[in-house]
Amino acid sequence: MRFNTKNVHFQEKLDSAELSKAKPIYQTSAFSFHDLDDMEAFFQGDKSYLYTRIGNPNTDDLGKGVAELEGAEMGAASSSGISAILAGILAVAKTGDHIVATEDLYGGTYVLMAKELRDFGIDVSFVDFSKRETIEEAIKDNTVLLFSESITNPLLRVENIQELVDIAKKYDLKTMIDNTFATPFLIRPVEAGVDLVVHSATKYIGGHSDLSAGVVVGSRTLMKKAKGKIANLGSNLGPFDGWLGCRGLKTLSLRMERQCKNAAFLAEALSKHPNVKKVYYPTEASEKGNGAIVTIALGDHMDVHQFFRQLSWVKVVPTLAGVETSVTHPVGTSHRPVPEKTRSKLGVTYSMVRISVGIEDQEDIVEAFEKALKAN
Ligand SMILES: *Cc1c(COP(=O)(O)O)cnc(C)c1O
């Protein structure tokens, strides 16, 4: 099957007598058994479900769907992007190990690594991943993992995934990529040899801003461990949220196609605007498009607060990837936990606005931003 077909046909066949067209929600905490032999079948691997924390048809569908689109052997869903990242990391790293991560990480991932992982005794170095030498210099004897994002936030640097895989092979390390901004519609890191790929399904996988979820995918060996972490740490996703994630996932191709087109149109329009100092939008992320996030730096004379007030129907939110166009102030939200020194080194400034482009008519989107840019 090709991408679009796989995108809508990933769910498991139903065993219900009624053969409902949509998958029912298995809103249950556990599964019952005819007898003890039947229960033993679960532990022998011949039956899929025992207890929802360990596995549930709706949650498993979400992991499976994303795994298929990413070209991975196995996937698992969890309660959030952050818990999916944690599960993936704990599948490869333990106390005493060291991780090398890109310094332009999503703020929440930075906190997870700089605070929580260090408290667990897992050390993390944050370095400039745009230079091969700085990555190699940061590798130590106890390094086990290289971690990056396929398209970074908010500066939208496109990671050189092949180079990371090459470095990892040279030093016998695992690689993990957060593919939230690109989605498998644009970039499939597993195909380049990446070991684990993670998503905040809260974003494009869900796509409708009504869900908090995460997914991690990879080889069966690593994923068995990652799924075990989700169960053992209790960061499983609920059945309804799994169902909602699958429902969102089915339209990923359509949404991404429109959103990437709209984003390219907006980036082009804003790059000519006199009140915009700089537009950040990748040019060669993939042949299908360059993502649906556009970051701009307002002109030095602009009143940033006034700009945010004048956005009419465009909502100011601390998230991205919904079907509606929205904006974020990275310094005030996603990058608030990142130390000021790192922020200014990266070039994340107060006048920066991250735009998540939706599925509206592209002319309306451009007009909304022109109005806010004029109001100053
Ligand atoms: C939002 C986000 C996360 C965290 O996901 P949650 O679902 O909020 O836990 C991780 N990485 C990236 C790139 C994100 O945008």
mmCIF file of all heavy atoms in Angstrom, residues 195-236:
data_model
loop_
_atom_site.group_PDB
_atom_site.id
_atom_site.type_symbol
_atom_site.label_atom_id
_atom_site.label_comp_id
_atom_site.label_asym_id
_atom_site.label_seq_id
_atom_site.Cartn_x
_atom_site.Cartn_y
_atom_site.Cartn_z
ATOM 1 N N ASP A 195 17.019 4.507 15.018
ATOM 2 C CA ASP A 195 16.524 3.396 15.833
ATOM 3 C C ASP A 195 15.135 3.640 16.414
ATOM 4 O O ASP A 195 14.295 2.754 16.425
ATOM 5 C CB ASP A 195 17.513 3.111 16.974
ATOM 6 C CG ASP A 195 18.855 2.662 16.441
ATOM 7 O OD1 ASP A 195 18.900 1.550 15.886
ATOM 8 O OD2 ASP A 195 19.839 3.426 16.547
ATOM 9 N N LEU A 196 14.921 4.850 16.940
ATOM 10 C CA LEU A 196 13.615 5.149 17.550
ATOM 11 C C LEU A 196 13.130 6.520 17.073
ATOM 12 O O LEU A 196 13.907 7.477 17.020
ATOM 13 C CB LEU A 196 13.726 5.159 19.075
ATOM 14 C CG LEU A 196 13.913 3.813 19.763
ATOM 15 C CD1 LEU A 196 14.334 4.009 21.219
ATOM 16 C CD2 LEU A 196 12.640 2.963 19.700
ATOM 17 N N VAL A 197 11.856 6.595 16.746
ATOM 18 C CA VAL A 197 11.252 7.865 16.337
ATOM 19 C C VAL A 197 10.101 8.153 17.291
ATOM 20 O O VAL A 197 9.313 7.259 17.615
ATOM 21 C CB VAL A 197 10.755 7.790 14.869
ATOM 22 C CG1 VAL A 197 9.911 9.010 14.502
ATOM 23 C CG2 VAL A 197 11.940 7.667 13.921
ATOM 24 N N VAL A 198 10.034 9.385 17.763
ATOM 25 C CA VAL A 198 8.968 9.748 18.708
ATOM 26 C C VAL A 198 8.129 10.912 18.169
ATOM 27 O O VAL A 198 8.608 11.712 17.371
ATOM 28 C CB VAL A 198 9.526 10.159 20.094
ATOM 29 C CG1 VAL A 198 9.926 8.946 20.870
ATOM 30 C CG2 VAL A 198 10.657 11.152 19.978
ATOM 31 N N HIS A 199 6.913 10.940 18.668
ATOM 32 C CA HIS A 199 5.984 12.006 18.294
ATOM 33 C C HIS A 199 5.246 12.519 19.502
ATOM 34 O O HIS A 199 4.829 11.734 20.349
ATOM 35 C CB HIS A 199 4.893 11.456 17.353
ATOM 36 C CG HIS A 199 5.354 11.299 15.958
ATOM 37 N ND1 HIS A 199 5.326 12.323 15.058
ATOM 38 C CD2 HIS A 199 5.875 10.229 15.315
ATOM 39 C CE1 HIS A 199 5.802 11.903 13.909
ATOM 40 N NE2 HIS A 199 6.156 10.633 14.029
ATOM 41 N N SER A 200 5.037 13.828 19.516
ATOM 42 C CA SER A 200 3.982 14.354 20.348
ATOM 43 C C SER A 200 2.739 14.246 19.475
ATOM 44 O O SER A 200 2.535 15.046 18.567
ATOM 45 C CB SER A 200 4.251 15.812 20.715
ATOM 46 O OG SER A 200 3.075 16.344 21.294
ATOM 47 N N ALA A 201 1.901 13.218 19.734
ATOM 48 C CA ALA A 201 0.678 13.031 18.944
ATOM 49 C C ALA A 201 -0.356 14.092 19.291
ATOM 50 O O ALA A 201 -1.398 14.194 18.655
ATOM 51 C CB ALA A 201 0.121 11.624 19.160
ATOM 52 N N THR A 202 -0.041 14.874 20.316
ATOM 53 C CA THR A 202 -0.818 16.059 20.680
ATOM 54 C C THR A 202 -0.860 17.024 19.492
ATOM 55 O O THR A 202 -1.765 17.827 19.366
ATOM 56 C CB THR A 202 -0.108 16.761 21.865
ATOM 57 O OG1 THR A 202 0.209 15.776 22.856
ATOM 58 C CG2 THR A 202 -0.947 17.844 22.478
ATOM 59 N N LYS A 203 0.139 16.944 18.637
ATOM 60 C CA LYS A 203 0.301 17.886 17.533
ATOM 61 C C LYS A 203 -0.304 17.295 16.245
ATOM 62 O O LYS A 203 -1.484 17.061 16.214
ATOM 63 C CB LYS A 203 1.779 18.236 17.379
ATOM 64 C CG LYS A 203 2.486 18.531 18.720
ATOM 65 C CD LYS A 203 2.017 19.790 19.405
ATOM 66 C CE LYS A 203 2.500 19.939 20.828
ATOM 67 N NZ LYS A 203 3.927 19.768 21.037
ATOM 68 N N TYR A 204 0.489 17.083 15.174
ATOM 69 C CA TYR A 204 -0.099 16.734 13.877
ATOM 70 C C TYR A 204 -0.767 15.363 13.823
ATOM 71 O O TYR A 204 -1.683 15.167 13.042
ATOM 72 C CB TYR A 204 0.959 16.822 12.772
ATOM 73 C CG TYR A 204 1.372 18.231 12.499
ATOM 74 C CD1 TYR A 204 2.622 18.691 12.894
ATOM 75 C CD2 TYR A 204 0.504 19.124 11.876
ATOM 76 C CE1 TYR A 204 3.004 20.002 12.657
ATOM 77 C CE2 TYR A 204 0.873 20.442 11.652
ATOM 78 C CZ TYR A 204 2.122 20.866 12.042
ATOM 79 O OH TYR A 204 2.486 22.161 11.819
ATOM 80 N N ILE A 205 -0.291 14.392 14.598
ATOM 81 C CA ILE A 205 -0.905 13.067 14.525
ATOM 82 C C ILE A 205 -2.376 13.173 14.942
ATOM 83 O O ILE A 205 -3.273 12.707 14.249
ATOM 84 C CB ILE A 205 -0.154 12.039 15.419
ATOM 85 C CG1 ILE A 205 1.325 11.928 15.011
ATOM 86 C CG2 ILE A 205 -0.851 10.678 15.412
ATOM 87 C CD1 ILE A 205 1.606 11.336 13.661
ATOM 88 N N GLY A 206 -2.629 13.807 16.078
ATOM 89 C CA GLY A 206 -4.012 14.063 16.510
ATOM 90 C C GLY A 206 -4.633 15.136 15.625
ATOM 91 O O GLY A 206 -5.725 14.965 15.080
ATOM 92 N N GLY A 207 -3.940 16.254 15.521
ATOM 93 C CA GLY A 207 -4.293 17.280 14.551
ATOM 94 C C GLY A 207 -5.442 18.221 14.874
ATOM 95 O O GLY A 207 -5.671 19.163 14.133
ATOM 96 N N HIS A 208 -6.187 17.974 15.929
ATOM 97 C CA HIS A 208 -7.374 18.786 16.198
ATOM 98 C C HIS A 208 -7.352 19.478 17.558
ATOM 99 O O HIS A 208 -8.391 19.939 18.042
ATOM 100 C CB HIS A 208 -8.638 17.932 16.057
ATOM 101 C CG HIS A 208 -8.856 17.447 14.657
ATOM 102 N ND1 HIS A 208 -8.096 16.429 14.115
ATOM 103 C CD2 HIS A 208 -9.699 17.849 13.678
ATOM 104 C CE1 HIS A 208 -8.499 16.227 12.857
ATOM 105 N NE2 HIS A 208 -9.463 17.070 12.581
ATOM 106 N N SER A 209 -6.187 19.526 18.198
ATOM 107 C CA SER A 209 -6.023 20.229 19.481
ATOM 108 C C SER A 209 -6.989 19.740 20.559
ATOM 109 O O SER A 209 -7.403 20.505 21.418
ATOM 110 C CB SER A 209 -6.213 21.746 19.291
ATOM 111 O OG SER A 209 -5.563 22.203 18.138
ATOM 112 N N ASP A 210 -7.361 18.441 20.497
ATOM 113 C CA ASP A 210 -8.289 17.940 21.510
ATOM 114 C C ASP A 210 -7.716 16.725 22.241
ATOM 115 O O ASP A 210 -8.439 15.953 22.867
ATOM 116 C CB ASP A 210 -9.645 17.586 20.863
ATOM 117 C CG ASP A 210 -9.490 16.694 19.636
ATOM 118 O OD1 ASP A 210 -8.385 16.138 19.421
ATOM 119 O OD2 ASP A 210 -10.467 16.549 18.883
ATOM 120 N N LEU A 211 -6.403 16.540 22.164
ATOM 121 C CA LEU A 211 -5.800 15.293 22.643
ATOM 122 C C LEU A 211 -4.379 15.527 23.126
ATOM 123 O O LEU A 211 -3.620 16.273 22.516
ATOM 124 C CB LEU A 211 -5.764 14.311 21.448
ATOM 125 C CG LEU A 211 -4.948 13.035 21.577
ATOM 126 C CD1 LEU A 211 -5.643 12.086 22.543
ATOM 127 C CD2 LEU A 211 -4.801 12.376 20.207
ATOM 128 N N SER A 212 -4.032 14.868 24.219
ATOM 129 C CA SER A 212 -2.660 14.835 24.699
ATOM 130 C C SER A 212 -2.190 13.395 24.563
ATOM 131 O O SER A 212 -2.764 12.499 25.200
ATOM 132 C CB SER A 212 -2.669 15.228 26.184
ATOM 133 O OG SER A 212 -1.552 15.972 26.515
ATOM 134 N N ALA A 213 -1.201 13.147 23.716
ATOM 135 C CA ALA A 213 -0.744 11.769 23.503
ATOM 136 C C ALA A 213 0.643 11.755 22.892
ATOM 137 O O ALA A 213 1.108 12.763 22.359
ATOM 138 C CB ALA A 213 -1.710 11.017 22.570
ATOM 139 N N GLY A 214 1.302 10.600 22.989
ATOM 140 C CA GLY A 214 2.617 10.440 22.380
ATOM 141 C C GLY A 214 2.722 9.085 21.723
ATOM 142 O O GLY A 214 1.935 8.175 22.030
ATOM 143 N N VAL A 215 3.672 8.953 20.804
ATOM 144 C CA VAL A 215 3.907 7.668 20.145
ATOM 145 C C VAL A 215 5.415 7.489 19.995
ATOM 146 O O VAL A 215 6.128 8.447 19.695
ATOM 147 C CB VAL A 215 3.242 7.610 18.739
ATOM 148 C CG1 VAL A 215 3.594 6.313 18.031
ATOM 149 C CG2 VAL A 215 1.731 7.742 18.839
ATOM 150 N N VAL A 216 5.867 6.268 20.227
ATOM 151 C CA VAL A 216 7.269 5.929 19.948
ATOM 152 C C VAL A 216 7.262 4.701 19.043
ATOM 153 O O VAL A 216 6.450 3.787 19.236
ATOM 154 C CB VAL A 216 8.089 5.731 21.265
ATOM 155 C CG1 VAL A 216 7.408 4.785 22.234
ATOM 156 C CG2 VAL A 216 9.519 5.251 20.972
ATOM 157 N N VAL A 217 8.104 4.717 18.001
ATOM 158 C CA VAL A 217 8.175 3.585 17.070
ATOM 159 C C VAL A 217 9.640 3.200 16.829
ATOM 160 O O VAL A 217 10.534 4.017 17.002
ATOM 161 C CB VAL A 217 7.490 3.897 15.710
ATOM 162 C CG1 VAL A 217 6.074 4.415 15.892
ATOM 163 C CG2 VAL A 217 8.297 4.897 14.873
ATOM 164 N N GLY A 218 9.834 1.952 16.403
ATOM 165 C CA GLY A 218 11.194 1.490 16.109
ATOM 166 C C GLY A 218 11.217 -0.008 15.866
ATOM 167 O O GLY A 218 10.177 -0.609 15.550
ATOM 168 N N SER A 219 12.385 -0.613 16.048
ATOM 169 C CA SER A 219 12.514 -2.060 15.841
ATOM 170 C C SER A 219 11.770 -2.801 16.937
ATOM 171 O O SER A 219 11.560 -2.283 18.031
ATOM 172 C CB SER A 219 13.995 -2.447 15.883
ATOM 173 O OG SER A 219 14.479 -2.250 17.204
ATOM 174 N N ARG A 220 11.372 -4.029 16.631
ATOM 175 C CA ARG A 220 10.622 -4.826 17.607
ATOM 176 C C ARG A 220 11.403 -4.983 18.921
ATOM 177 O O ARG A 220 10.832 -4.850 20.004
ATOM 178 C CB ARG A 220 10.310 -6.202 16.997
ATOM 179 C CG ARG A 220 9.225 -6.971 17.704
ATOM 180 C CD ARG A 220 8.713 -8.133 16.856
ATOM 181 N NE ARG A 220 8.157 -7.704 15.581
ATOM 182 C CZ ARG A 220 6.956 -7.143 15.421
ATOM 183 N NH1 ARG A 220 6.170 -6.952 16.463
ATOM 184 N NH2 ARG A 220 6.528 -6.771 14.233
ATOM 185 N N THR A 221 12.698 -5.213 18.826
ATOM 186 C CA THR A 221 13.513 -5.420 20.024
ATOM 187 C C THR A 221 13.473 -4.202 20.946
ATOM 188 O O THR A 221 13.202 -4.329 22.140
ATOM 189 C CB THR A 221 14.994 -5.670 19.627
ATOM 190 O OG1 THR A 221 15.011 -6.462 18.463
ATOM 191 C CG2 THR A 221 15.773 -6.300 20.739
ATOM 192 N N LEU A 222 13.740 -3.024 20.369
ATOM 193 C CA LEU A 222 13.738 -1.818 21.204
ATOM 194 C C LEU A 222 12.328 -1.460 21.654
ATOM 195 O O LEU A 222 12.105 -1.005 22.776
ATOM 196 C CB LEU A 222 14.343 -0.643 20.430
ATOM 197 C CG LEU A 222 15.857 -0.598 20.354
ATOM 198 C CD1 LEU A 222 16.306 0.572 19.493
ATOM 199 C CD2 LEU A 222 16.467 -0.490 21.759
ATOM 200 N N MET A 223 11.357 -1.668 20.770
ATOM 201 C CA MET A 223 10.000 -1.266 21.089
ATOM 202 C C MET A 223 9.364 -2.137 22.182
ATOM 203 O O MET A 223 8.523 -1.667 22.939
ATOM 204 C CB MET A 223 9.123 -1.275 19.829
ATOM 205 C CG MET A 223 9.270 -0.022 18.998
ATOM 206 S SD MET A 223 9.076 1.494 19.977
ATOM 207 C CE MET A 223 7.465 1.230 20.685
ATOM 208 N N LYS A 224 9.771 -3.419 22.251
ATOM 209 C CA LYS A 224 9.258 -4.251 23.339
ATOM 210 C C LYS A 224 9.677 -3.644 24.673
ATOM 211 O O LYS A 224 8.907 -3.601 25.633
ATOM 212 C CB LYS A 224 9.759 -5.684 23.206
ATOM 213 C CG LYS A 224 8.916 -6.468 22.223
ATOM 214 C CD LYS A 224 9.163 -7.954 22.337
ATOM 215 C CE LYS A 224 8.181 -8.709 21.469
ATOM 216 N NZ LYS A 224 8.726 -10.001 21.034
ATOM 217 N N LYS A 225 10.924 -3.149 24.693
ATOM 218 C CA LYS A 225 11.409 -2.500 25.923
ATOM 219 C C LYS A 225 10.646 -1.201 26.163
ATOM 220 O O LYS A 225 10.212 -0.921 27.281
ATOM 221 C CB LYS A 225 12.902 -2.185 25.801
ATOM 222 C CG LYS A 225 13.781 -3.393 25.880
ATOM 223 C CD LYS A 225 15.232 -2.947 25.979
ATOM 224 C CE LYS A 225 16.164 -4.123 25.755
ATOM 225 N NZ LYS A 225 17.537 -3.701 25.524
ATOM 226 N N ALA A 226 10.483 -0.388 25.117
ATOM 227 C CA ALA A 226 9.810 0.916 25.281
ATOM 228 C C ALA A 226 8.365 0.720 25.728
ATOM 229 O O ALA A 226 7.867 1.427 26.608
ATOM 230 C CB ALA A 226 9.876 1.700 23.972
ATOM 231 N N LYS A 227 7.693 -0.266 25.138
ATOM 232 C CA LYS A 227 6.299 -0.506 25.521
ATOM 233 C C LYS A 227 6.220 -0.997 26.967
ATOM 234 O O LYS A 227 5.308 -0.643 27.712
ATOM 235 C CB LYS A 227 5.652 -1.515 24.557
ATOM 236 C CG LYS A 227 4.140 -1.450 24.643
ATOM 237 C CD LYS A 227 3.429 -2.283 23.615
ATOM 238 C CE LYS A 227 1.925 -2.115 23.866
ATOM 239 N NZ LYS A 227 1.126 -3.191 23.345
ATOM 240 N N GLY A 228 7.224 -1.796 27.349
ATOM 241 C CA GLY A 228 7.313 -2.250 28.737
ATOM 242 C C GLY A 228 7.481 -1.082 29.698
ATOM 243 O O GLY A 228 6.891 -1.055 30.778
ATOM 244 N N LYS A 229 8.268 -0.087 29.295
ATOM 245 C CA LYS A 229 8.456 1.103 30.152
ATOM 246 C C LYS A 229 7.132 1.836 30.323
ATOM 247 O O LYS A 229 6.794 2.266 31.429
ATOM 248 C CB LYS A 229 9.496 2.063 29.552
ATOM 249 C CG LYS A 229 10.893 1.504 29.437
ATOM 250 C CD LYS A 229 11.495 1.201 30.784
ATOM 251 C CE LYS A 229 12.840 0.498 30.616
ATOM 252 N NZ LYS A 229 13.363 -0.039 31.891
ATOM 253 N N ILE A 230 6.377 1.985 29.225
ATOM 254 C CA ILE A 230 5.093 2.693 29.304
ATOM 255 C C ILE A 230 4.176 1.962 30.298
ATOM 256 O O ILE A 230 3.536 2.587 31.148
ATOM 257 C CB ILE A 230 4.424 2.794 27.910
ATOM 258 C CG1 ILE A 230 5.261 3.709 27.000
ATOM 259 C CG2 ILE A 230 2.985 3.308 28.019
ATOM 260 C CD1 ILE A 230 4.849 3.693 25.524
ATOM 261 N N ALA A 231 4.138 0.627 30.216
ATOM 262 C CA ALA A 231 3.293 -0.148 31.125
ATOM 263 C C ALA A 231 3.810 -0.072 32.559
ATOM 264 O O ALA A 231 3.049 0.185 33.497
ATOM 265 C CB ALA A 231 3.236 -1.607 30.659
ATOM 266 N N ASN A 232 5.105 -0.254 32.736
ATOM 267 C CA ASN A 232 5.665 -0.303 34.095
ATOM 268 C C ASN A 232 5.675 1.045 34.790
ATOM 269 O O ASN A 232 5.587 1.123 36.016
ATOM 270 C CB ASN A 232 7.098 -0.856 34.057
ATOM 271 C CG ASN A 232 7.138 -2.286 33.556
ATOM 272 O OD1 ASN A 232 6.107 -2.965 33.504
ATOM 273 N ND2 ASN A 232 8.305 -2.744 33.169
ATOM 274 N N LEU A 233 5.829 2.112 33.988
ATOM 275 C CA LEU A 233 5.829 3.453 34.582
ATOM 276 C C LEU A 233 4.418 4.037 34.632
ATOM 277 O O LEU A 233 4.207 5.121 35.167
ATOM 278 C CB LEU A 233 6.750 4.400 33.800
ATOM 279 C CG LEU A 233 8.229 4.031 33.773
ATOM 280 C CD1 LEU A 233 8.978 4.909 32.780
ATOM 281 C CD2 LEU A 233 8.845 4.155 35.163
ATOM 282 N N GLY A 234 3.471 3.333 34.045
ATOM 283 C CA GLY A 234 2.078 3.784 34.104
ATOM 284 C C GLY A 234 1.801 5.024 33.286
ATOM 285 O O GLY A 234 0.938 5.828 33.628
ATOM 286 N N SER A 235 2.518 5.191 32.177
ATOM 287 C CA SER A 235 2.272 6.375 31.349
ATOM 288 C C SER A 235 1.484 5.994 30.097
ATOM 289 O O SER A 235 1.673 6.566 29.029
ATOM 290 C CB SER A 235 3.592 7.053 30.989
ATOM 291 O OG SER A 235 4.454 6.150 30.346
ATOM 292 N N ASN A 236 0.579 5.003 30.287
ATOM 293 C CA ASN A 236 -0.245 4.562 29.160
ATOM 294 C C ASN A 236 -1.294 5.606 28.786
ATOM 295 O O ASN A 236 -1.660 6.471 29.575
ATOM 296 C CB ASN A 236 -0.942 3.248 29.524
ATOM 297 C CG ASN A 236 -1.744 3.356 30.802
ATOM 298 O OD1 ASN A 236 -1.160 3.584 31.863
ATOM 299 N ND2 ASN A 236 -3.042 3.242 30.726
#
